[in-house]
């Protein structure tokens, strides 16, 4: 069965040639104070890179991390990568983080531990204030709430619709498992319902759902976890290991086989309709309108991704 694209995304003011949210398959968190890692990450193939100022950056390194943000974002954009930053909660050092990096014009600001829509409206107001102060294009900076608690999962739709800047929501792993009181496992059984619910509510809100990172080192486990997320409907996944980016991109890119199957489905359905039939049959598949539309979306996604090769069967 063909992969279905994530569908329409929240309307947002875009600038330059930024890859649109629905085509951002891989989102890599990079330690915010490590210049070599930040600049080197541009070579790993991620669609979006995130300068991580929260857990990956000790408090004493945050001032220098903020100071290098503009250079890092510029280098990432020059490589065709969506340049993001994850600040701390606004109740902590988030306001200082935002003020320190905003002149670098991040494409998206990730906010961690979001559990209430009011946190997003507060961040929107702060970004808007800085845009006016610096003369930046109004509304161009996106917001990506990071959902890391049971309370946040229960409010995903309200969070995703709290601001027109929200282009995606991201599901967490370690903090979420801890909040659930669940032992962490490679199979992520403890997160199954949360992943399903976040994706469902994000779809209802018409924003992109970003699956949680695979936080173990093995590539085989990452591939299996990404395929499971894809089966739930995810077309984007976050990562904390640069080595996982190629695996994620491969799984979330339509393969040659996917494209061939989708093309057959489209041709069979259109031939059936031309003959006055309500549906078509292809092998064991009864092709009705939803299946036809999913195949069309897959072909459109494959065309937009262009030369990005899948690389996995």
């Amino acid at each position: 069965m063909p992969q279905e694209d994530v569908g329409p995304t929240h309307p947002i003011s875009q600038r330059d040639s930024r890859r649109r949210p629905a085509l951002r398959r891989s989102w890599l968190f990079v330690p915010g104070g490590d210049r070599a890692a930040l600049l080197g990450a541009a070579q790993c193939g991620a669609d979006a890179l995130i300068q991580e100022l929260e857990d990956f950056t000790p408090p004493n390194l945050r001032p220098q991390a903020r100071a290098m943000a503009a250079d890092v974002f510029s280098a990432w954009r020059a490589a065709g990568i969506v340049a993001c930053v994850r600040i701390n909660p606004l109740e902590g050092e988030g306001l200082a983080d935002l003020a320190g990096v905003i002149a670098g014009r991040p494409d998206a600001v990730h906010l961690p531990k979001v559990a209430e829509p009011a946190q997003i409206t507060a961040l929107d107001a702060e970004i808007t204030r800085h845009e006016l102060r610096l003369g930046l294009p109004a509304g161009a900076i996106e917001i990506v709430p990071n959902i890391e608690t049971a309370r946040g999962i229960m409010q995903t739709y309200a969070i995703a619709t709290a601001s027109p800047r929200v282009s995606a929501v991201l599901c967490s792993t370690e903090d979420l498992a801890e909040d659930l009181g669940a032992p962490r496992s490679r199979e992520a059984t403890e997160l199954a319902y949360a992943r399903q619910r976040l994706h469902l509510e994000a779809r209802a809100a018409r924003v992109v759902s970003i699956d949680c990172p695979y936080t173990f080192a093995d590539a085989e486990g990452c591939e299996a976890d990404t395929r499971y997320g894809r089966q739930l409907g995810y077309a984007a996944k976050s990562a904390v290991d640069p080595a996982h980016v190629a695996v994620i991109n491969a799984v979330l890119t339509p393969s040659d086989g996917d494209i061939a199957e989708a093309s057959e489905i489209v041709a069979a359905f259109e031939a059936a309709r031309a003959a006055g039939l309500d549906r078509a049959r292809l092998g064991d598949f009864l092709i009705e309108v939803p299946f036809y539309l999913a195949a069309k979306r897959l072909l459109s996604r494959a065309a937009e991704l262009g030369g990005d090769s899948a690389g996995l069967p």
Side-chain angles (χ1 to χ4, degrees):
M1 182 177 293
Q3 293 178 321
E4 184 181 353
D5 199 357
V6 294
T9 58
H10 211 289
I12 192 162
S13 175
Q14 296 287 331
R15 70 161 185 271
D16 305 332
S17 56
R18 190 188 316 185
R19 181 185 289 250
R20 70 183 182 89
L23 298 180
R24 302 170 193 170
R25 302 157 297 179
S26 49
W27 300 66
L28 176 67
F29 289 96
V30 188
D34 188 334
R35 178 181 287 272
L38 290 163
L39 296 177
Q43 307 304 315
C44 76
D47 295 328
L49 292 173
I50 308 158
Q51 185 189 24
E52 216 303 53
L53 299 181
E54 194 206 11
D55 292 345
F56 286 11
T57 304
N60 63 304
L61 296 182
R62 286 173 188 157
Q64 70 186 59
R66 298 168 193 144
M68 70 176 77
D71 289 343
V72 169
F73 299 158
S74 178
W76 288 350
R77 274 194 291 268
I81 299 165
V82 179
C84 311
V85 62
R86 181 158 82 167
I87 63 174
N88 282 274
L90 298 187
E91 301 82 6
E93 292 191 51
L95 293 175
D97 290 338
L98 187 63
V101 305
I102 197 76
R105 300 181 302 115
D107 293 322
V109 175
H110 287 240
L111 186 67
K113 298 178 175 62
V114 178
E116 306 293 340
Q119 293 170 277
I120 299 305
T121 56
L123 177 57
D124 187 330
E126 284 298 313
I127 294 174
T128 299
R129 184 174 67 82
H130 285 298
E131 285 175 340
L132 290 170
R133 178 176 63 84
L134 296 170
L136 299 177
I141 296 174
E142 303 170 29
I143 293 175
V144 180
N146 290 190
I147 310 294
E148 309 184 53
T149 63
R151 173 72 176 173
I153 292 291
M154 296 290 287
Q155 300 211 90
T156 297
Y157 179 85
I159 289 166
T161 55
S163 163
R165 294 183 187 272
V166 176
S167 56
V169 292
L170 185 147
C171 189
S172 180
T173 47
E174 309 311 311
D175 286 292
L176 182 55
E178 192 278 330
D179 191 57
L180 293 174
R184 187 74 175 93
S185 68
R186 290 177 185 270
E187 296 76 20
T189 307
E190 65 280 3
L191 301 177
Y193 173 73
R195 290 166 80 177
Q196 290 179 12
R197 178 152 183 171
L198 181 136
H199 174 67
L200 184 148
E201 297 209 13
R203 290 287 295 192
R206 311 302 284 174
V207 303
V208 173
S209 58
I210 306 171
D211 197 12
C212 51
Y214 180 73
T215 51
F216 301 90
D218 58 306
E220 296 79 10
C222 179
E223 181 183 344
D225 193 59
T226 306
R227 290 193 185 279
Y228 172 74
R230 177 60 216 144
Q231 190 63 34
L232 296 180
Y234 285 93
K237 188 172 182 64
S238 55
V240 294
D241 185 340
H244 290 167
V245 168
V247 174
I248 292 168
N249 285 348
V251 173
L252 299 182
T253 302
S255 68
D256 290 344
D258 292 330
I259 293 168
E261 181 185 26
S263 298
E264 284 187 275
I265 290 167
V266 168
F269 184 84
E270 291 180 350
R273 278 298 172 93
L277 302 176
D278 61 336
R279 56 186 172 176
R281 182 163 185 164
L282 187 63
D284 292 332
F285 289 134
L286 289 177
I287 304 168
E288 298 181 345
V289 172
F291 206 80
Y292 167 71
L293 294 178
K296 293 274 284 184
R297 281 192 292 270
L298 182 143
L299 294 175
S300 176
R301 178 177 177 82
E304 286 193 83
L305 286 170
D308 292 343
S309 170
L312 287 176

